[in-house]
Amino acid sequence: MLNNWLYIGIFFIIALALPGVAIFLAGVLGPKKSNAEKRATYECGIETVGETQIQFHAQYYIFALIFLIFDVEAVFLFPWAAAYGQMSFYAVLEGLIFILVLMGGLAYVWKKGVLEWK
């Protein structure tokens, strides 16, 4: 039994050491000279026009995060819907509770005005 934990410990140490060694070597052996060309903003081979550091509203990130949460949760409904005819009453009840929680979250963010695009 202890032998199995030894393998896990060795794997854990290697998993932490490999990226650490790679980052350390890149810092030690990598080039350190900086010039204006290296510090320039590069965007798909097109020269930037105007200010490159634009402040985005936090609402855009919140909107994307809400979309991602509801999108991922909607993916959980597909297997449930595919097996709907073969499920017991309690499985259907759990699915309906899950949908009610989703609708509650949607009502909450709608009431808070997060979904309004400004």
Side-chain angles (χ1 to χ4, degrees):
M1 173 91 174
L2 187 59
N3 195 16
N4 294 336
W5 287 105
L6 181 65
Y7 289 126
I8 293 172
I10 292 171
F11 180 76
F12 186 70
I13 290 170
I14 291 173
L16 291 176
L18 279 177
V21 169
I23 291 171
F24 175 75
L25 287 176
V28 170
L29 301 175
K32 298 188 179 31
K33 292 183 181 178
S34 183
N35 57 32
E37 189 67 31
K38 287 184 181 180
R39 289 188 304 269
T41 304
Y42 179 78
E43 183 67 35
C44 301
I46 301 171
E47 291 292 327
T48 58
V49 178
E51 183 66 31
T52 57
Q53 297 293 327
I54 300 171
Q55 184 76 27
F56 285 102
H57 295 288
Q59 183 180 7
Y60 299 136
Y61 299 111
I62 293 171
F63 194 83
L65 185 62
I66 290 170
F67 170 77
L68 183 67
I69 289 169
F70 282 107
D71 193 44
V72 168
E73 288 178 349
V75 168
F76 289 126
L77 291 176
F78 283 113
W80 180 78
Y84 179 74
Q86 301 148 358
M87 289 195 291
S88 67
F89 172 74
Y90 292 110
V92 173
L93 185 63
E94 287 177 6
L96 291 175
I97 291 171
F98 181 72
I99 291 173
L100 286 174
V101 169
L102 284 177
M103 290 205 292
L106 180 62
Y108 175 76
V109 296
W110 202 329
K111 184 178 182 250
K112 292 292 261 182
V114 175
L115 299 178
E116 295 177 14
W117 199 263
K118 295 178 183 177

